[in-house]
Amino acid sequence: MSKTLFIDGEWTASSTGGSFDVLNPADGEIIGSAAEASTKDIDEAVAAARGALSAKEWRDITPAQRARILWRVADLIEANADELARLETLDQGQPLGVSRNLNIPGAAEHFRYFAGWCTKIEGATSPVSIPGAFHYTRREPVGVCALIIPWNFPFMTAAWKIAPALACGNTVIVKPAEQTPLTTVRLVEILTEAGIPAGVVNLVTGGPEAGRALTEHAGIDKVSFTGSTEVGKEIVRASSGNLKRVTLELGGKSPSIIARDADIDAAVQGNLMGNVFNSGQVCAAYSRFYVDSARVDEFAEKMATAAASLKMGPGLNPDTVLGPLNSAEHLARVESHVKRAVEAGAELRGGGSRAQGELANGYFFEPTIFTGVTDSMAVAREEIFGPVMPILSYDDADELVARANDSDFGLAAAIWTKDLNTAHEMAARIQAGTIYVNMLPAPDPAAPWGGYKSSGWGREMGPQAIEEYTELKGVWIGGLNL
Ligand code: NAD
């Protein structure tokens, strides 16, 4: 029996006895199992979170005490970092260098950053004009938050949501993706060890059905979701029953612009890693490259050579740069995207196939480069979430901006140039939540993260996250000389 549900401080199995296997994407072997939460389990988790919201152990805790608990979570993550990184690599597939140096430490930094916020969540006095009246604002917890996590960076994404939610005094129900539940189970153990009271953090493992039950639930006040745009739209519809608050971090198709004056070698390195990092399974991955027509051949040739030299293998191998995709279904999806690009007439300049030989049992796909791509091809428009790099060329800046913005997505964009004017002009004109100039698409807890258009609603990280996890209350005192 898989006891991976954590409800009101107790680890339990599913009330129906249902469970599912968890696989290692590097070889398809079963590495664990998790409970399939039923509607009854979810009702219980919601009741536990609701009860904990008003229980004195959480409601009366001081901001300084909350801060200390969150800081302790960060310390415990660091103390267990080697074990957590290995588990994340086994479950997600990412190279150990990514899990050990970025994912796990990044999660710890989120807890520290939001630990600092606990004692700094302020209201304001308002300069009202009603004679004799005084008005001030308070920021209060939204209430019970459902936090729904994808499979590409499970541990860190869980931290992006749990840390600010708790810093603001909410209670939470976390649902990791069905493909990658293992490190979230460990994170909940760590939260408990750090002193989070029973019922404040609850965990339900399961698939889309469990997600639906949460988003439709009248006992939930807010959903914070990271995942695909398609599911994001479903969540908006499902949440309308009680008009719960919804924040959405969704898909992307980030354009990367390589200007005529760019340092091409730096651009090749940055764009290659900006695409293949975590095997392309990054929402902000650079995934359509607009190169000045004077530099396009040089860029494509160097990208193809550099991509062919990347070491592909199981994430636990220390020299691996490119791990597997996360699941057989996702591998099939990436393969089908590549096939469609070839059929549409794009020119394959490297890669293009799933791995053969000793990697054939895992979900590996070669880094794949296309030239001769036109704006209307699906490879230039749809999110692939794999190591696929379509290269397009441009001649004119105005035309380029219109083409880069002709997308339903607007999560991130990159600009490679030595000219400050070009950098600032493009940064202002490209429609995206985050613009990177001459750098990789990295998140930081202090910088707001989120998308324009169909890439989402709201922002995570930074002071904006505090606004998203609180309600604003206005308080009037006296006035009107009654
Ligand atoms: P997904 O949308 O399929 O699943 C994400 C989560 O939602 C999982 O936990 C899943 O079980 C749950 N879910 C599925 N259907 C649901 C439903 N109907 N109601 C409620 N929950 C449901 O996404 P994925 O394939 O796991 O992740 C990849 C996607 O996530 C990509 O589109 C990627 O761009 C996006 N993503 C975005 C960000 C960001 O910050 N913007 C970060 C990482 C990933």
Side-chain angles (χ1 to χ4, degrees), residues 3-34:
K3 290 193 168 182
T4 58
L5 308 182
F6 190 65
I7 299 172
D8 212 8
E10 299 288 337
W11 288 99
T12 61
S14 166
S15 59
T16 62
S19 66
F20 56 93
D21 290 334
V22 181
L23 308 182
N24 177 354
D27 58 16
E29 297 287 325
I30 296 174
I31 50 170
S33 74

Side-chain angles (χ1 to χ4, degrees), residues 308-361:
S309 73
L310 294 175
K311 178 79 183 149
M312 190 156 71
L316 288 178
N317 287 2
D319 53 350
T320 291
V321 176
L322 200 68
L325 295 170
N326 182 253
S327 65
E329 299 74 46
H330 190 49
L331 173 64
R333 204 164 1 175
V334 171
E335 202 169 27
S336 135
H337 270 289
V338 168
K339 189 161 164 271
R340 276 164 65 204
V342 171
E343 284 165 3
E347 188 192 344
L348 188 61
R349 296 285 291 260
S353 306
R354 58 169 74 194
Q356 306 299 328
E358 58 182 13
L359 297 181
N361 287 338

Side-chain angles (χ1 to χ4, degrees), residues 131-305:
F134 174 65
H135 182 274
Y136 65 94
T137 59
R138 291 168 47 85
R139 287 215 162 264
E140 299 184 345
V142 177
V144 176
C145 302
L147 313 178
I148 304 180
I149 317 287
W151 46 258
N152 62 328
F153 268 95
F155 195 79
M156 192 160 72
T157 314
W160 290 4
K161 299 185 187 305
I162 297 172
L166 298 183
C168 296
N170 297 284
T171 59
V172 305
I173 300 155
V174 188
K175 194 199 87 60
E178 56 276 29
Q179 297 86 348
T180 53
L182 302 184
T183 52
T184 313
V185 170
R186 283 290 293 120
L187 179 55
V188 170
E189 286 171 353
I190 284 172
L191 286 155
T192 309
E193 193 183 339
I196 295 284
V200 172
V201 173
N202 303 275
L203 169 68
V204 292
T205 49
E209 278 313 311
R212 263 184 216 111
L214 286 170
T215 54
E216 287 170 357
H217 208 292
I220 286 181
D221 301 302
K222 173 185 165 83
V223 174
S224 172
F225 171 75
T226 299
S228 59
T229 294
E230 191 190 344
V231 172
K233 289 178 183 173
E234 246 190 82
I235 287 175
V236 169
R237 289 189 287 271
S239 63
S240 67
N242 66 340
L243 291 180
K244 49 177 72 70
R245 307 293 178 251
V246 177
T247 44
L248 303 168
E249 300 291 339
L250 308 177
K253 185 74 178 173
S254 301
S256 182
I257 294 161
I258 295 95
R260 186 171 295 201
D261 70 338
D263 174 341
I264 284 291
D265 292 331
V268 164
Q269 207 44 41
N271 281 295
L272 182 63
M273 290 322 292
N275 178 276
V276 305
F277 184 72
N278 207 34
S279 297
Q281 303 164 125
V282 173
C283 50
Y286 302 156
S287 48
R288 46 189 174 119
F289 304 95
Y290 296 88
V291 189
D292 186 288
S293 62
R295 311 294 300 272
V296 72
D297 290 340
E298 180 190 2
F299 180 80
E301 219 158 275
K302 287 183 169 175
M303 280 285 268
T305 308

